[in-house]
Amino acid sequence: MLTLARANYGPYGIDFPLGATGRFTNGVENLRNAQRLIGFQNFIPPFARARAPREVLRGVNFASGAAGIREETGNNLGDHASLSQQVTNFGNVVQVMLRYFRGDASLLNSYLGRCIFFSGMGSNDYLNNYFMSNFYTTSSDYTPKAFASVLLQDYANQLAVRNSHSSYPQFALSTKTSFQTSANNNTGNNSSRCNEKINDAVSMFNSGLKRLVQRFNGGTELPGAKFVYLDFYKSTSDLYRNSSQYGFEVIDKGCCGVGRNNGQITCLPLQQPCPDRRKYLFWDAFHPTELANVLLAQSSFSTQSFTYPINIQQLAMS
């Protein structure tokens, strides 16, 4: 894909054993930390590299940089696989797995029904769509409340399509539209260290997402599925407001990047990052450092519950 939304070069991965692998942080990202806590031993391969049935049985990551719930989200950065394309890719993987199960759809559904699916969507729909009025018209087409409503409806529809490919497993839906500070504050009040305009808008989406989880768990739309709401917005806010307790000394500036507070463009290839990444809350303009990711995963895992047994597998869409 031809895209600017890449992290397959240094200094990304500077603290990761395998180097730069496309993760938007200096080390291990939040999802991988959560996998460790659940019990995953190996890294889950991306969709582009996992093809053989035995490979996909270990889990597949469908994530795509700059992807959003809306089809046009992220077009300003180039090619990407939107959520609908990720759902299609998942359907293709299910067909590959069906061959491994010798065409026994019932057995395959039983297997998929014991998996955990992580989906963290929404942030790009705001940062690379709604709040980019020079490229998109959504901010003039919708009020913040209406836009959140449209996003949630599209999200619910996509989750229903995904479930048509298999039986109903466990889902972890995260509020990936998380806390925006002055590191990437281009539209907020300059006297504030936080971008309240963005925070207020995404809070509407996050509140609606929580209600959507409650609706799915209490209704008949997706019977048998268990949804867990992961409030990354709240967790990130806690890291920001109580930064000294976690050892963070810099909370409004990226460890690397370009522009004011290193918060307008992500890390450039071979750019020299800050020497002590553990003191920084943000790695680049939009993503947490490895330490912040570790703390976010621990917070999510300690406050949520998953039903066992599960397959040591995760099919991730983010």
Side-chain angles (χ1 to χ4, degrees), residues 14-15 26 246-251 253-256 272-283 289-291:
I14 189 173
D15 300 310
N26 57 303
Y246 300 103
F248 296 118
E249 298 180 7
V250 184
I251 60 175
K253 181 179 180 181
C255 178
C256 74
Q272 185 65 38
C274 60
D276 192 347
R277 271 78 71 179
R278 295 182 64 85
K279 294 181 179 180
Y280 280 70
L281 176 58
F282 290 99
W283 164 248
T289 56
E290 179 181 43
L291 175 58

Side-chain angles (χ1 to χ4, degrees), residues 22-38:
R23 293 170 172 84
F24 284 90
T25 186
N26 57 303
V28 178
E29 86 286 8
N30 181 42
L31 179 57
R32 175 53 190 159
N33 283 300
Q35 293 167 9
R36 285 175 169 174
L37 292 171
I38 294 173

Side-chain angles (χ1 to χ4, degrees), residues 154-188:
D154 289 345
Y155 202 9
N157 292 339
Q158 293 292 2
L159 290 172
V161 170
R162 197 229 62 79
N163 273 281
S164 69
H165 294 298
S166 67
S167 59
Y168 301 117
Q170 299 178 78
F171 278 84
L173 300 185
S174 76
T175 57
K176 199 174 181 184
T177 51
S178 59
F179 209 64
Q180 297 298 314
T181 73
S182 59
N184 44 31
N185 182 358
N186 297 315
T187 59

Side-chain angles (χ1 to χ4, degrees), residues 87-161:
V87 171
T88 298
N89 292 342
F90 169 74
N92 294 334
V93 165
V94 169
Q95 294 304 310
V96 172
M97 296 176 72
L98 186 60
R99 293 197 295 270
Y100 181 84
F101 284 90
R102 300 177 185 273
D104 190 332
S106 177
L107 186 60
L108 173 59
N109 281 344
S110 177
Y111 182 86
L112 291 174
R114 295 186 295 118
C115 294
I116 293 178
F117 294 74
F118 174 88
S119 182
M121 300 295 295
S123 58
N124 288 319
D125 292 291
Y126 285 93
L127 299 179
N128 285 301
N129 190 329
Y130 192 75
F131 285 103
M132 291 194 70
S133 57
N134 60 326
F135 201 94
Y136 302 95
T137 64
T138 44
S139 60
S140 59
D141 295 337
Y142 302 97
T143 64
K145 183 178 180 180
F147 187 66
S149 179
V150 168
L151 280 184
L152 289 164
Q153 184 59 55
D154 289 345
Y155 202 9
N157 292 339
Q158 293 292 2
L159 290 172
V161 170

Side-chain angles (χ1 to χ4, degrees), residues 3-4 14 130 179 193 201 218 259 306:
T3 177
L4 296 175
I14 189 173
Y130 192 75
F179 209 64
R193 302 182 76 182
F306 295 95

